[in-house]
Amino acid sequence: MTDTILKKLQSIFGSEETFTDRETLTAYSYDAAHTEMLPEVIVFAKNEAQISALMKLANEERIPVTPRGAGSGLSGGSVPLSKGIVVCLDKMKAIKSIDTVNRLITLEAGVITSDIDAAVNPKGLFFPPDPGSTLFSTIGGNVAENAGGLRGLKYGVTKDYVKTIRVVLPSGEAVTLGAKTVKHVAGFNVEQLFVGSEGLLGIFTEFTLSLLPLPEHRESALAVYASLDDAAKTVAAIIEAGVTPSTLEIMDRFTINAIEDYKPCGLPRDAEAVLIIETDGYRESAIREMEKVQTVAAKHAVTRFVRAKDAAEREMLFEGRRVSLSALARVKPTTILEDATVMRSRVPDLVRAIQSIAKKYDLMVGTFGHAGDGNLHPTFLVDKNDKDMMHRCEMAVKELFAATIAMEGTISGEHGIGIEKKPFLKDQLGDAGVKLLRDIKKTLDPNGILNPGKMF
């Protein structure tokens, strides 16, 4: 980075928000799953005008720019592969308005996800998407990756709640996409093109999101199984029975024991699998739905079905699920977390495929995930210094995604493509599909400066 460019950045962001020292560069050089790639400079944005000025400068000088929220992503989306400039948005955290009549919240991109509920719960509302990183991920990152979460089965994912997006394009122009209205067909559905775009098409600065009324009551339960296959079959049977739980999570024995070693939550170490289930809504409805779930589970070899007696027991169950990745990451030096998604009816098939592949390549794997919406996270535990093991892991991942696609599934349900899954995107979309994405990228970012090296 030349002194001239650095001085221009300092004039935009201030010298106190512009960093080139190695310690700061290192701290912002990786995400939650990928190793470091040092940028040349880090800048912290406080408003849209600064981001617009940055993009105009970067476009003129052909400098790569990588946008970053909290760095909690799991596909390498915020790793600055082309060095250049990392622009952090985590200081843009204003909640600008809460509209209880229209159930909307307008906020900046750096707001922490859990802070949304903290702001709207007292008003009887909530924001349904709840990724595992909700306590530290930013809403800008959630929109960029179209994050899912534990409530995805009933309530959908981030894209289902985005009403408007304020975005700075690679040229530096700022536009508002979408509308706050319930209906909106003025032009193309462009806002949904930007959701899940992983920072390749523009830098988000502000959103208006829709909210829902808080459920009156929740019923939570733990279903215990002597067979992972039986647990997976129960998932499909619950949906077929006409019940839509707000949460329907699965964990295998390996994951259960890793959690209990890391942070004891009372999960049964002798179980081959468990389901964590929650129904919500009006009290009578939530209770009746859970009774129906229990009936279905009884028909599919459940060994125990334990309903949480109070909020403390509920929180213990969900805490175990939320720390699953952290627990597994302690087992081996390297954690390869995958994100395969199939139709709910194919969850048993995907579970069997994961087990077969792990056995074939002699790999340690923990499987957990949002089974109710078909999104599983097989987590391969390896050592990156063991070349043979890493080769076997690469072959296993390749086979996993081939099996997923053969089941009419997708190579990512919520983590995105980023660095991790670039080699597999063509397998799912085909050459013409990837070309279409490239053409869209080239139209909006002809100089290829925004988050280069990702997705394609």
Side-chain angles (χ1 to χ4, degrees):
M1 192 71 61
T2 67
D3 288 343
T4 301
I5 298 297
L6 186 59
K7 287 178 181 177
K8 288 182 179 181
L9 291 174
Q10 289 171 337
S11 71
I12 295 170
F13 296 95
S15 57
E16 72 281 3
E17 300 292 359
T18 306
F19 297 86
T20 57
D21 62 287
R22 186 174 182 85
E23 183 178 359
T24 305
L25 297 182
T26 300
Y28 290 85
S29 64
Y30 53 87
D31 71 357
H34 290 80
T35 54
E36 66 184 47
M37 175 68 76
L38 265 64
E40 296 171 76
V41 62
I42 306 282
V43 294
F44 290 85
K46 293 183 177 179
N47 56 61
E48 181 181 278
Q50 290 176 324
I51 297 173
S52 182
L54 166 66
M55 294 313 299
K56 288 177 181 176
L57 172 65
N59 207 39
E60 290 171 0
E61 300 291 339
R62 306 294 195 268
I63 303 171
V65 175
T66 302
R68 182 184 176 95
S72 61
L74 292 161
S75 62
S78 62
V79 177
L81 285 186
S82 299
K83 299 186 177 182
I85 302 166
V86 166
V87 55
C88 300
L89 286 83
D90 57 359
K91 294 190 176 184
M92 295 178 62
K93 53 180 61 180
I95 294 178
K96 296 190 171 183
S97 68
I98 299 171
D99 180 347
T100 57
V101 174
N102 294 298
R103 299 177 187 165
L104 300 173
I105 183 170
T106 299
L107 70 176
E108 290 183 325
V111 171
I112 300 298
T113 312
S114 60
D115 287 348
I116 301 175
D117 272 354
V120 304
N121 283 176
K123 300 178 185 295
L125 300 169
F126 80 116
F127 180 61
D130 62 333
S133 57
T134 187
L135 294 176
F136 46 88
S137 62
T138 64
I139 188 61
N142 291 170
V143 176
E145 300 294 341
N146 191 23
L150 275 65
R151 294 191 289 244
L153 167 59
K154 182 173 183 178
Y155 292 106
V157 296
T158 301
K159 69 177 181 180
D160 301 306
Y161 298 87
V162 175
K163 302 296 290 184
T164 73
I165 301 175
R166 183 75 178 168
V167 58
V168 176
L169 301 173
S171 63
E173 298 173 285
V175 295
T176 300
L177 307 172
K180 295 181 179 181
T181 54
V182 174
K183 298 177 180 179
H184 164 59
V185 289
F188 300 148
N189 190 14
V190 184
E191 62 272 20
Q192 288 298 324
L193 173 64
F194 277 77
V195 177
S197 60
E198 303 188 29
L200 273 71
L201 304 182
I203 299 179
F204 305 142
T205 60
E206 182 181 298
F207 308 98
T208 296
L209 308 171
S210 59
L211 306 167
L212 291 179
L214 274 170
E216 177 186 278
H217 183 73
R218 293 187 176 97
E219 286 285 314
S220 306
L222 179 73
V224 183
Y225 292 85
S227 160
L228 180 57
D229 193 59
D230 286 335
K233 288 177 180 177
T234 303
V235 171
I238 289 170
I239 305 303
E240 189 175 15
V243 182
T244 306
S246 56
T247 299
L248 183 47
E249 299 286 305
I250 195 168
M251 293 188 290
D252 69 1
R253 182 171 188 164
F254 192 94
T255 304
I256 292 166
N257 281 278
I259 291 168
E260 289 300 302
D261 289 341
Y262 173 65
K263 188 172 185 178
C265 297
L267 296 173
R269 286 182 176 273
D270 58 340
E272 287 300 322
V274 297
L275 298 177
I276 297 174
I277 309 158
E278 185 164 277
T279 57
D280 68 4
Y282 291 111
R283 182 181 181 85
E284 183 180 347
S285 174
I287 292 172
R288 288 181 63 186
E289 283 194 319
M290 186 58 79
E291 289 171 349
K292 197 168 184 179
V293 167
Q294 186 167 358
T295 299
V296 172
K299 295 176 180 178
H300 288 82
V302 70
T303 60
R304 274 182 288 160
F305 194 94
V306 184
R307 293 167 75 163
K309 299 185 189 71
D310 51 35
E313 286 193 5
R314 174 190 181 273
E315 287 305 312
M316 187 72 80
L317 282 180
F318 280 82
E319 179 66 14
R321 169 60 184 85
R322 289 191 184 280
V323 302
S324 52
L325 177 57
S326 299
L328 287 168
R330 297 172 69 248
V331 177
K332 285 279 189 179
T334 308
T335 306
I336 307 296
L337 173 68
E338 293 303 345
D339 175 34
T341 306
V342 294
M343 292 178 288
R344 292 175 296 219
S345 61
R346 302 302 299 270
V347 168
D349 298 326
L350 181 57
V351 164
R352 293 184 201 112
I354 292 166
Q355 291 179 302
S356 174
I357 290 167
K359 184 177 180 180
K360 176 180 177 179
Y361 291 100
D362 190 23
L363 293 170
M364 193 178 289
V365 66
T367 299
F368 65 96
H370 319 301
D373 56 29
N375 183 198
L376 298 185
H377 297 307
T379 305
F380 296 95
L381 305 171
V382 293
D383 183 348
K384 66 180 180 181
N385 295 315
D386 185 328
K387 291 183 179 180
D388 177 66
M389 182 180 288
M390 290 305 294
H391 175 69
R392 284 184 279 119
C393 186
E394 288 170 6
M395 296 300 292
V397 169
K398 184 176 181 180
E399 195 164 317
L400 169 65
F401 288 136
T404 301
I405 292 169
M407 295 178 201
E408 300 181 276
T410 177
I411 61 174
S412 179
E414 58 186 7
H415 293 168
I417 302 301
I419 300 169
E420 176 92 8
K421 296 178 180 177
K422 288 193 295 183
F424 308 107
L425 188 61
K426 187 173 72 171
D427 295 337
Q428 181 168 344
L429 301 183
D431 290 333
V434 173
K435 181 180 183 299
L436 175 61
L437 298 187
R438 286 182 180 275
D439 288 347
I440 292 169
K441 165 71 169 172
K442 188 173 182 180
T443 298
L444 293 171
D445 184 15
N447 294 319
I449 62 165
L450 195 50
N451 211 8
K454 311 298 169 57
M455 195 177 293
F456 312 120

